[in-house]
């Protein structure tokens, strides 16, 4: 029986991933009790992002500047390009700081079931980036799903005429993974791609 | 390596209870990808609450109207008053819809250790509400902690001169609780307050 404004806020928060109705209510209470320390900073941060949100015209990342922070960073190695399905994948890879190059976001994966065709994804833009030159290696970092791998194969065909090194993420037993709990597909991949010791 | 605005938003979200750095990042990504469906509604809801946030002068609840929705609701039974330590407790009790009366928020509990004295809490206001008349029953719904119970005893002394029924929440085995896992204090309370069957 809170006021309609508070109910609306609770509902908006409960739609975020990781928050349900109960935790959204706790979060709202926290915001109400700490107006200057929590509510106002969050409000300012949201407004700032909303005002300046853009999609990077180069790689498809979402950011508050265009080109995005990654494309504009001169310390990034422009010779390496990592292709991902989604912005979430870009963020996950970038957070690890393992890939020193730039990214390209396809905006999805090819899917006969969902009717996603090559022209629905940012594939022509990728080909144009590679065609423009200056890129030595393209890493295909699709998800290890049927549709992700179909997309990777399609991209490999489209890119094979360029003088670049085309690679993809290794598949196998995840670090800390116990064979007992792994599916057959992963075990098969790990066995097929086995490597000599030392 | 996101832009400073996005980093600020991630940090503001990660300070909410129930969200850590990782889930805040996922929430931000969700907001960025669904600007019209998620970011803008959340921004509007936050702004509306921030603009109108007040503390109810009657009971101490936080709301967007003063008196708050509960105090202003004519369907509430004004003869019952439930005293709680905190706004969070009020919300928890109100959500259950079990108490048909109104509330009074103390704003904390008496604590020698933390130097919280009676004059630091909304106790004079409570006494004034009871003194003004029209209240039949005051339910002391403090937490079942040492400090909560000390506060309840102090309130009982302050309120004993009024012609009201003074009650407190029952202590005992929580519903679904297994004796095996309960602390001795709870078991002692449950045994002491045992009731005849049927």
């Amino acid at each position: 029986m809170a006021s309609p404004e508070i109910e609306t806020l609770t509902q908006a928060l409960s739609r975020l991933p990781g928050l349900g109705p109960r935790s959204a209510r706790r979060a709202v209470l926290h915001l109400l009790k700490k107006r200057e320390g929590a509510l106002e900073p969050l409000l300012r941060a949201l407004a700032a992002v909303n005002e300046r949100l853009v999609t990077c015209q180069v790689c498809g990342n979402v950011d508050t500047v265009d080109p995005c922070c990654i494309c504009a960073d001169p310390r990034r190695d422009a010779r390496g390009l990592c292709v991902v399905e989604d912005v979430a994948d870009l963020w996950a890879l970038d957070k690890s700081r393992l890939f020193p190059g730039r990214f390209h976001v396809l905006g999805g994966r090819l899917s006969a079931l969902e009717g996603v065709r090559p022209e629905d994804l940012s594939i022509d833009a990728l080909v144009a980036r590679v065609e423009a030159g200056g890129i030595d290696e393209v890493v295909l970092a699709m998800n290890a799903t049927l549709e992700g791998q179909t997309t990777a194969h399609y991209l490999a065909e489209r890119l094979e005429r360029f003088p670049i090194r085309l690679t993809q993420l290794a598949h196998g037993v995840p670090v800390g993974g116990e064979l007992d709990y792994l599916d057959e597909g992963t075990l098969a991949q790990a066995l097929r791609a086995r490597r000599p010791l030392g």
Side-chain angles (χ1 to χ4, degrees), chain A:
Chain A
M1 256 284 316
S3 72
E5 291 92 344
I6 292 180
E7 283 301 332
T8 307
L9 177 58
T10 310
Q11 280 168 25
L13 273 175
S14 69
R15 277 189 226 106
L16 292 182
L19 281 178
R22 215 186 176 91
S23 44
R25 196 168 280 273
R26 271 175 54 221
V28 167
L29 199 55
H30 175 84
L31 290 171
L32 297 185
K33 284 161 81 178
K34 306 213 170 158
R35 185 177 190 166
E36 282 170 30
L39 200 158
E40 287 174 355
L42 180 58
L43 179 57
R44 278 196 302 273
L46 265 180
V49 166
N50 185 44
E51 198 177 302
R52 306 179 51 183
L53 190 61
V54 284
T55 299
C56 175
Q57 294 299 314
V58 180
C59 74
N61 189 11
V62 282
D63 205 338
T64 55
V65 283
D66 179 18
C68 75
C69 285
I70 295 174
C71 287
D73 187 348
R75 289 165 303 178
R76 291 271 177 173
D77 184 355
R79 289 169 302 173
L81 189 65
C82 181
V83 185
V84 293
E85 293 180 19
D86 221 332
V87 178
D89 304 330
L90 186 161
W91 284 32
L93 278 167
D94 183 52
K95 193 154 48 80
S96 69
R97 296 174 191 276
L98 290 170
F99 186 70
R102 294 185 179 157
F103 291 91
H104 190 89
V105 180
L106 292 178
R109 63 214 66 83
L110 295 178
S111 166
L113 216 64
E114 294 165 28
V116 181
R117 294 155 308 167
E119 53 267 40
D120 298 324
L121 303 179
S122 173
I123 293 178
D124 287 341
L126 170 65
V127 173
R129 278 181 87 177
V130 175
E131 197 157 26
I135 292 173
D136 291 345
E137 178 181 2
V138 171
V139 184
L140 299 178
M142 271 74 254
N143 289 326
T145 58
L146 181 63
E147 291 172 342
Q149 295 308 302
T150 307
T151 311
H153 280 120
Y154 177 82
L155 291 180
E157 269 176 36
R158 290 283 301 265
L159 295 173
E160 68 181 356
R161 64 189 169 101
F162 298 108
I164 51 166
R165 209 149 66 89
L166 204 56
T167 56
Q168 70 169 337
L169 294 186
H171 296 154
V173 182
V175 174
E178 299 183 46
L179 299 193
D180 222 13
Y181 291 93
L182 286 175
D183 59 297
E184 271 184 42
T186 302
L187 284 177
Q189 285 273 16
L191 200 58
R192 209 179 304 144
R194 64 187 181 277
R195 296 164 46 180
L197 261 173

